[in-house]
Amino acid sequence: MERRKFISKSVLVAMTGAIGVEIVYGLKLPETYIPLALQNPNPFELFKKDKEMVLLNERPWNMEAQAHLLDDRITPNKYMFIRNNGLVPENINAENWSLTIKGESVLKEKTYTLAELKSKFKHYTYQLTLECGGNGRSEFNPPAKGNQWNVGAVSCAEWTGVRMRDVLEDIGIKNDAVYIGYHAIDLHLSRDPNKTPISRGAPMSKVLQDETLLAFQMNGADIPLVHGYPLRLVAGGWPASVSGKWLEGISVRNKVHDGAKMTGTAYRVPCNTVAPGEKVADKDMCIIESMPVKSLITYPKTGAMITDGEKLNIRGHAWAGELEVAKMEYSIDFGATWKTCSLEKPVNRLAWQHFNAQITFPKKGYYEIWSRATDSKGTAQPMLIPGWNPKGYLNNACQRIAIKVT
Ligand SMILES: Nc1nc2c(c(=O)[nH]1)N[C@H]1C(S)=C(S)[C@@H](COP(=O)(O)O)O[C@H]1N2
Ligand SMILES: [Mo]
């Protein structure tokens, strides 16, 4: 008979400390067993996410939406994707929160409490599209490492805050300022306080736009913890990695910010097109700025069935980084011909736009609906896959849903 092994005294002491009360019968715990109270919490409950969201990683927490969950005009928290590089902070005290603006290019370092930021500067509200640079990564071949996002690492929530520009004007910046970098309180996965999970930023031209916010509200309420409570940088239209959560500092830099995940190959693509699988030197990788034009059919859900003769109303959203979407089309013949959708103007700059169309199918059978957006400079989404890049960023291929007419 196999002898049952029990945990050691020292492990039990650590577990008791973590749970906070005595583990009665603790010495009877099988050696490899982790008490339920110490197992990973259920992220859907923890972050108030819908059960249909897709969990991609537990360490760090990463979760995406399915296309049909993104049907709302303004994305509610329950359908908003989660992308973390480190650990979600615990025990945040918003009462004591402050933001320090520092760096080579400020006249004088200054700290604002959250309350000061809220009372001193005018508040603005914008709907802002935030898409992870790696959204769509799962389709690249050869595959790229990292979260295998399908189409759901995008959101458009309504953000309220003060303008980054107003705050920088208040503190005063030098003429040589070219970039800002953000500093946040989330810990590296290793819990080593000397390591930073992420510290990215943006050039002054982006930072000084009206819509670049130091946000303290999302959809009219405090920002949910996992999305950056109590203060977040929000820069719509750029890779969402620029929008630093749990913000405690901003550095105004006289050079391109060199924080974690700014350098090397992170959030960069080859400056020039490369063949699939080709090795690219770091110096030939360029920082991703505006996100490319893209669209998402959010109704119906892929796999929908309709009866012969029935018309199908489709709808969804389209966005184009810093640009506007100028044209929206759909195809039911695998891209051979395209028909126009009706397309709304954005509510404000950098908000996604809504489209719809009514489709008639010629006969019974299997179809796919492909959606294609074209931006204000005339660039359209590629049909199946854009140029390959080593880290699997910027897949803005046409989205496709399957339909059966029976
Ligand atoms: N402090 C901090 N900010 C961060 C991140 C992070 O890990 N830590 N991840 C970034 C990345 S890569 C993305 S795509 C977005 C995701 O935002 P969301 O989780 O609110 O959807 O946050 C960005 N801001
Ligand atoms: Mo991201």
Side-chain angles (χ1 to χ4, degrees):
M1 209 172 85
E2 207 186 307
R3 233 181 84 232
R4 219 170 108 113
K5 282 206 184 130
F6 300 100
I7 58 160
S8 68
K9 267 253 167 67
S10 57
V11 172
L12 181 59
V13 168
M15 283 181 172
T16 305
I19 293 180
V21 293
E22 183 197 358
I23 309 175
V24 182
Y25 305 122
L27 286 169
K28 306 274 185 235
L29 277 168
E31 193 184 21
T32 54
Y33 182 77
I34 300 170
L36 297 174
L38 296 177
Q39 288 179 19
N40 260 344
N42 176 330
F44 299 89
E45 284 170 21
L46 188 63
F47 303 126
K48 302 195 172 61
K49 297 295 174 181
D50 187 89
K51 292 277 190 310
E52 281 192 85
M53 294 288 283
V54 182
L55 185 64
L56 296 186
N57 196 352
E58 304 199 340
R59 251 186 83 82
W61 292 117
N62 286 304
M63 202 186 268
E64 75 170 316
Q66 304 184 56
H68 69 279
L69 300 178
L70 292 170
D71 195 40
D72 296 270
R73 287 173 165 253
I74 297 176
T75 313
N77 173 59
K78 64 179 173 176
Y79 298 138
M80 190 173 210
F81 77 99
I82 298 174
R83 164 61 169 138
N84 295 312
N85 290 265
L87 300 169
V88 177
E90 289 162 26
N91 309 319
I92 284 180
N93 185 346
E95 309 274 287
N96 294 336
W97 198 267
S98 66
L99 177 76
T100 300
I101 317 253
K102 55 189 180 185
E104 305 99 11
S105 298
V106 290
L107 296 175
K108 196 166 174 281
E109 183 173 315
K110 188 166 175 179
T111 298
Y112 299 90
T113 65
L114 182 56
E116 275 167 355
L117 282 176
K118 289 183 183 176
S119 62
K120 189 162 183 183
F121 302 98
K122 192 169 176 225
H123 298 185
Y124 295 88
T125 298
Y126 299 107
Q127 290 177 24
L128 298 167
T129 310
L130 291 183
E131 182 179 16
C132 180
N135 197 21
R137 175 176 292 133
S138 61
E139 285 193 325
F140 281 109
N141 203 356
K145 285 204 199 93
N147 283 302
Q148 294 301 304
W149 303 110
N150 185 208
V151 295
V154 61
S155 66
C156 185
E158 190 175 74
W159 296 93
T160 300
V162 299
R163 283 185 175 149
M164 188 74 236
R165 185 178 68 209
D166 290 348
V167 178
L168 292 180
E169 261 167 29
D170 184 63
I171 174 169
I173 58 174
K174 296 184 193 163
N175 286 334
D176 66 354
V178 292
Y179 228 89
I180 66 155
Y182 66 72
H183 308 283
I185 66 153
D186 47 334
L187 276 180
H188 191 267
L189 289 177
S190 64
R191 291 190 176 273
D192 179 346
N194 298 313
K195 287 189 180 159
T196 306
I198 189 166
S199 169
R200 303 199 69 243
M204 291 322 284
S205 54
K206 178 66 181 167
V207 171
L208 298 178
Q209 287 180 6
D210 285 356
E211 302 82 7
T212 302
L213 297 179
L214 291 167
F216 38 75
Q217 285 200 326
M218 187 185 108
N219 297 341
D222 283 348
I223 300 174
L225 172 67
V226 76
H227 297 298
Y229 177 78
L231 188 66
R232 176 177 197 169
L233 178 65
V234 187
W238 281 40
S241 52
V242 174
S243 295
K245 307 192 270 192
W246 314 295
L247 197 68
E248 61 162 2
I250 293 284
S251 290
V252 185
R253 309 294 313 263
N254 61 9
K255 58 176 186 181
V256 175
H257 182 56
D258 51 4
K261 306 217 166 160
M262 276 306 299
T263 55
T265 57
Y267 301 102
R268 291 179 185 232
V269 289
C271 307
N272 300 302
T273 324
V274 299
E278 196 176 315
K279 280 252 179 316
V280 187
D282 283 8
K283 67 163 180 42
D284 297 324
M285 297 285 279
C286 286
I287 299 173
I288 301 169
E289 299 200 324
S290 176
M291 292 294 286
V293 62
K294 199 161 170 180
S295 61
L296 199 58
I297 302 167
T298 58
Y299 184 88
K301 184 178 171 172
T302 188
M305 296 217 264
I306 59 165
T307 51
D308 195 16
E310 203 183 325
K311 286 184 164 58
L312 179 66
N313 291 307
I314 64 161
R315 60 174 181 259
H317 320 290
W319 60 99
E322 287 278 300
L323 302 174
E324 228 178 85
V325 178
K327 185 167 71 176
M328 191 63 219
E329 298 161 296
Y330 72 88
S331 173
I332 58 167
D333 56 11
F334 304 107
T337 61
W338 295 87
K339 288 203 171 86
T340 311
C341 302
S342 88
L343 173 69
E344 294 178 24
K345 284 271 174 197
V347 169
N348 53 254
R349 255 194 96 233
L350 313 180
W352 66 17
Q353 295 165 243
H354 315 293
F355 67 85
N356 65 76
Q358 189 172 68
I359 305 182
T360 356
F361 297 91
K363 58 190 243 185
K364 288 183 193 166
Y366 173 85
Y367 296 88
E368 286 185 13
I369 306 174
W370 294 9
S371 76
R372 181 171 76 179
T374 303
D375 70 26
S376 47
K377 285 193 175 157
T379 307
Q381 291 182 254
M383 271 203 270
L384 292 175
I385 197 95
W388 181 89
N389 65 89
K391 302 274 285 184
Y393 294 124
L394 308 186
N395 178 4
N396 67 332
C398 291
Q399 194 222 349
R400 306 172 287 274
I401 63 168
I403 301 290
K404 256 189 203 158
V405 182
T406 56

